[in-house]
Each structure stands twice: as structure tokens, then as C-alpha cells.
Amino acid sequence: MIAATNTMAACSASRGETRATADALPVTVGTAADRELAEAALPFTSGAIRGLPAQAAHLLAALRTALGGAHVKDLDELHASLKTMAAAGLQTPDSAEGRRLAAALHAYSTPTPTVTPAQAPAEAADAVDESVSEDADETRRDGR
């Protein structure tokens, strides 16, 4: 058994792999929040730490798989479920790993404002109109 383990480790080493590189997620896929959540979820999805509902562990494992395989379509589909899980207030273990997971999940419960190109000029025009009308009000009060 020990010989087999040593042989597997030697094969991995000869290919230049280490445990850290095997677990590392590609930086080019997903958002920084996706990658942080996947990294924070690793102790739970690997089974090293227990304490999450099975459904949450499966969802987080799917996130890791989508990131690791560069499956952008799967990531897009997972975002809705991750937001739902975050909004529901997933209970995490009271440990450093649990707090890291909760903090990473919090990014999915914070609404991100979306501004479409059509909204931006209208909002800017409204802001200009308000400042012009405020100036006009001050002019009338000052009598100038």
C-alpha cells in the first residue's frame, strides 16, 4: 500500500503536479467572487469538514467543477442558485473555514446595480436638470 502511494506521488511529481496545483482553479474563468467561494468551499466539498446541508455541498461542488472545467454556461446557470442560497442565509459552522465560506457567499447576496446604456444618459440629464433648477431657485431667492 505504501509502495503504491509512493509510486503515485512519484508519477505526479514527474508530471510537475503538486496537490496545490491540482486544486488550483483557473483565473480566467468566472468572477473573483466565484473563485473565492469555490476556494472557501473546498474543505466542505472535499469532506474534510462537515456541517453543510447536502444540497449546499453539492451546489458548491458544482461551482468548483464548473470553474475547474471552464464551463462558463454552467457558471451562468449556477449563479441563480448561489444567489438563492445566499439570500436564504446558509448556516455555516462556527470555525475559520465556516466564516470564510459565509463571507464569500455574502458576495452573492449583495445586489449589484446594473446600469444600461439607455439609463445612464437619462440619469445624467436628470442630475443636470436638478442642479440647474436649484441654481434657478437660489437666483430667485437672492433676487439676482
Side-chain angles (χ1 to χ4, degrees):
M1 179 72 174
I2 295 173
T5 303
N6 289 341
T7 303
M8 290 183 347
C11 289
S12 292
S14 69
R15 291 191 310 256
E17 294 178 6
T18 64
R19 182 80 175 140
T21 56
D23 290 339
L25 296 170
V27 179
T28 58
V29 178
T31 65
D34 292 336
R35 291 187 297 277
E36 172 56 23
L37 181 58
E39 290 297 324
L42 179 60
F44 300 96
T45 59
S46 70
I49 298 176
R50 300 187 191 276
L52 292 183
Q55 185 178 7
H58 289 297
L59 181 59
L60 294 168
L63 173 66
R64 287 193 57 78
T65 301
L67 285 170
H71 302 139
V72 176
K73 183 179 177 193
D74 293 343
L75 279 174
D76 292 341
E77 292 172 3
L78 286 169
H79 284 149
S81 297
L82 291 168
K83 287 178 182 180
T84 301
M85 184 171 67
L90 177 67
Q91 294 296 313
T92 59
D94 186 21
S95 64
E97 294 84 1
R99 287 186 290 279
R100 180 181 179 199
L101 180 62
L105 193 57
H106 181 71
Y108 291 86
S109 63
T110 307
T112 54
T114 56
V115 176
T116 62
Q119 288 175 326
E123 290 172 359
D126 288 344
V128 169
D129 287 345
E130 286 177 16
S131 67
V132 168
S133 68
E134 287 174 8
D135 290 342
D137 288 342
E138 287 179 21
T139 303
R140 278 184 238 130
R141 278 184 244 137
D142 292 343
R144 292 185 262 169

